[in-house]
């Protein structure tokens, strides 16, 4: 009798364990399915909340080209983008020698650069092209070890995007390495973002940049530097403010263009004002290209603004 009770109790316990295990398995399955569904909801929500463009011309379909006029270390840049249905569908940024051969295929160059900087043309050139198509924005991430090439890529991509907005398929020629022609060169954004847009001018005298005036202005023409509330809020969040970083960037450009190897790339990003620093360098490079050609025609940027 005792044995029978024991067996009955054991059977009941075993059955309970099996049922609990099954319930646990179902709970896990339901949790996974619930998590998956939650992820789908989040993804759908993210897609639904994609930023909406409120200003800036669409890109016009076509093929847009840019090329450097002069060779540096045996190579010059050639760059083409293809726009279809208002999107960049192909980017072909490359460096070629006088025979038209790509730096990507120069085994010695790749080997030497890889040893010195940790990357090489056959790695960073495809990466930059892929990033432009993916981001649809000139300000792609700088490739570590290829800062100079990344800066050139951003500058030239921006100029091609501007050409695509205007539908201007004429090849853009960059007189790289040429001496700067004296004059005043200006650039401005067309559209306001958060109440401000960029205005920028440089003065070249004696072949040197002697003055840089980069600023953000509102519809009344007032500088962001005098917006006390804006400065206070930004200072609290990022550690810097327009009245600090704007003069810093202007001073840095004059200094960067007066050394033995003048380059916009020598301008350092201001901590806490990364986006503004990147925009500054992007536009400064374009003004330097204008000064190399002596073209004082004002440059207007039909900047993209999203909600």
């Amino acid at each position: 009798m005792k044995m029978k009770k024991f067996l009955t109790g054991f059977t009941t316990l075993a059955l309970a364990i099996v049922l609990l295990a099954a319930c646990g398995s179902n709970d896990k399955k339901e949790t996974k399915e619930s998590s998956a569904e939650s992820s789908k909801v989040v993804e759908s929500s993210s897609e639904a909340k994609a930023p909406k463009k409120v200003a800036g011309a669409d890109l016009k379909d076509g093929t847009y080209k840019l090329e450097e006029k002069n060779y540096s270390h045996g190579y010059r840049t050639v760059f083409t983008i293809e726009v279809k249905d208002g999107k960049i569908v192909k980017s072909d940024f490359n460096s070629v020698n006088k025979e038209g051969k790509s730096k990507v295929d120069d085994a010695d160059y790749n080997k030497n650069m890889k040893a010195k900087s940790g990357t090489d043309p056959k790695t960073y050139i495809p990466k930059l092209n892929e990033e432009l198509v993916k981001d649809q924005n000139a300000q792609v991430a700088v490739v570590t070890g290829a800062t100079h090439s990344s800066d050139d890529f951003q500058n030239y991509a921006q100029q091609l995007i501007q050409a695509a907005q205007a539908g201007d398929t004429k090849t853009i020629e960059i007189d790289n390495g040429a001496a700067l022609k004296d004059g005043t060169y200006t650039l401005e954004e067309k559209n306001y973002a958060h109440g401000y847009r960029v205005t920028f001018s440089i003065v070249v005298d004696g072949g040197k940049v002697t003055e840089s005036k980069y600023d953000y202005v509102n519809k009344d023409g007032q500088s962001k530097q005098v917006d006390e509330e804006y400065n206070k809020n930004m200072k609290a969040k990022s550690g810097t403010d327009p009245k600090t970083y704007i003069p810093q960037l202007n001073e840095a450009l004059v200094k960067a263009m007066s050394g033995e190897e003048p380059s916009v790339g020598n301008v350092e990003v201001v901590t806490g004002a990364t986006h503004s620093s990147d925009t500054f360098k992007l536009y400064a490079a374009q003004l330097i290209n204008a000064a190399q050609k002596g073209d004082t025609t004002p440059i207007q940027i039909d900047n993209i603004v999203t909600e």
Side-chain angles (χ1 to χ4, degrees):
M1 180 65 72
K2 287 183 179 180
M3 180 61 70
K4 184 176 181 181
K5 286 183 178 179
F6 173 77
L7 289 173
T8 302
F10 180 79
T11 303
T12 302
L13 177 62
L15 181 60
I17 291 171
V18 171
L19 289 172
L20 284 171
C23 289
S25 176
N26 286 336
D27 286 345
K28 288 179 182 177
K29 184 178 180 182
E30 287 172 6
T31 300
K32 285 183 179 180
E33 289 174 349
S34 178
S35 298
E37 288 301 318
S38 296
S39 297
K40 288 178 182 178
V41 171
V42 170
E43 288 173 5
S44 298
S45 177
S46 299
E47 289 174 4
K49 293 182 180 179
K52 179 183 177 183
K53 187 176 74 170
V54 295
D58 294 332
L59 307 189
K60 296 178 174 60
D61 290 0
T63 300
Y64 302 89
K65 299 179 181 180
L66 175 151
E67 61 180 35
E68 290 181 337
K69 181 179 178 182
N70 309 306
Y71 292 88
S72 176
H73 304 293
Y75 287 92
R76 68 185 179 95
T77 294
V78 293
F79 196 171
T80 301
I81 65 170
E82 183 180 337
V83 177
K84 186 176 181 181
D85 297 327
K87 299 287 185 182
I88 299 169
V89 295
K90 184 178 180 181
S91 172
D92 187 8
F93 168 80
N94 208 347
S95 293
V96 298
N97 62 18
K98 292 181 180 179
E99 286 74 44
K101 293 181 179 179
S102 172
K103 191 183 283 186
V104 170
D105 301 320
D106 188 329
D108 287 338
Y109 193 106
N110 278 266
K111 181 181 178 181
N112 293 334
M113 183 174 177
K114 183 78 171 180
K116 290 179 180 178
S117 67
T119 191
D120 49 30
K122 67 181 180 182
T123 301
Y124 73 74
I125 286 178
K127 182 174 178 61
L128 290 169
N129 283 315
E130 289 166 9
E131 288 296 310
L132 179 59
V133 174
K134 186 179 88 172
D135 295 347
Q136 298 289 306
N137 189 310
Q139 290 181 305
V140 299
V142 171
V143 178
T144 303
T147 303
H148 178 71
S149 294
S150 297
D151 287 344
D152 282 346
F153 181 90
Q154 291 181 354
N155 171 26
Y156 296 161
Q158 176 63 34
Q159 295 194 46
L160 285 168
I161 286 171
Q162 289 164 206
Q165 286 178 308
D168 185 357
T169 57
K170 181 177 65 178
T171 299
I172 300 168
E173 187 176 82
I174 305 295
D175 197 2
N176 55 309
L180 306 187
K181 287 29 172 216
D182 290 359
T184 299
Y185 302 88
T186 61
L187 174 154
E188 66 178 15
E189 290 181 336
K190 178 181 178 182
N191 309 307
Y192 293 87
H194 306 294
Y196 288 93
R197 66 185 178 92
V198 169
T199 60
F200 198 173
S201 69
I202 62 171
V203 174
V204 177
D205 189 17
K208 300 285 186 181
V209 176
T210 58
E211 185 177 72
S212 172
K213 288 185 177 180
Y214 171 80
D215 206 354
Y216 290 86
V217 298
N218 62 20
K219 292 181 180 180
D220 296 322
Q222 292 179 321
S223 171
K224 190 183 284 187
Q225 298 177 72
V226 300
D227 187 331
E228 290 301 328
E229 185 176 356
Y230 192 104
N231 278 263
K232 180 181 177 181
N233 292 336
M234 183 173 178
K235 183 79 171 180
K237 290 179 181 178
S238 66
T240 190
D241 49 30
K243 66 182 179 183
T244 303
Y245 75 75
I246 288 176
Q248 283 181 336
L249 290 170
N250 283 316
E251 291 166 12
L253 179 61
V254 174
K255 183 179 179 181
M257 295 303 299
S258 63
E260 291 184 5
E261 295 185 12
S263 171
V264 173
N266 295 331
V267 175
E268 293 186 3
V269 170
V270 177
T271 302
T274 303
H275 178 72
S276 293
S277 298
D278 289 343
T279 300
F280 176 89
K281 293 176 71 172
L282 191 69
Y283 293 163
Q286 197 167 159
L287 285 170
I288 294 301
N289 290 154
Q292 287 170 327
K293 292 192 289 186
D295 186 356
T296 58
T297 305
I299 301 168
Q300 186 176 73
I301 309 293
D302 194 1
N303 53 308
I304 305 295
V305 180
T306 57
E307 287 183 337

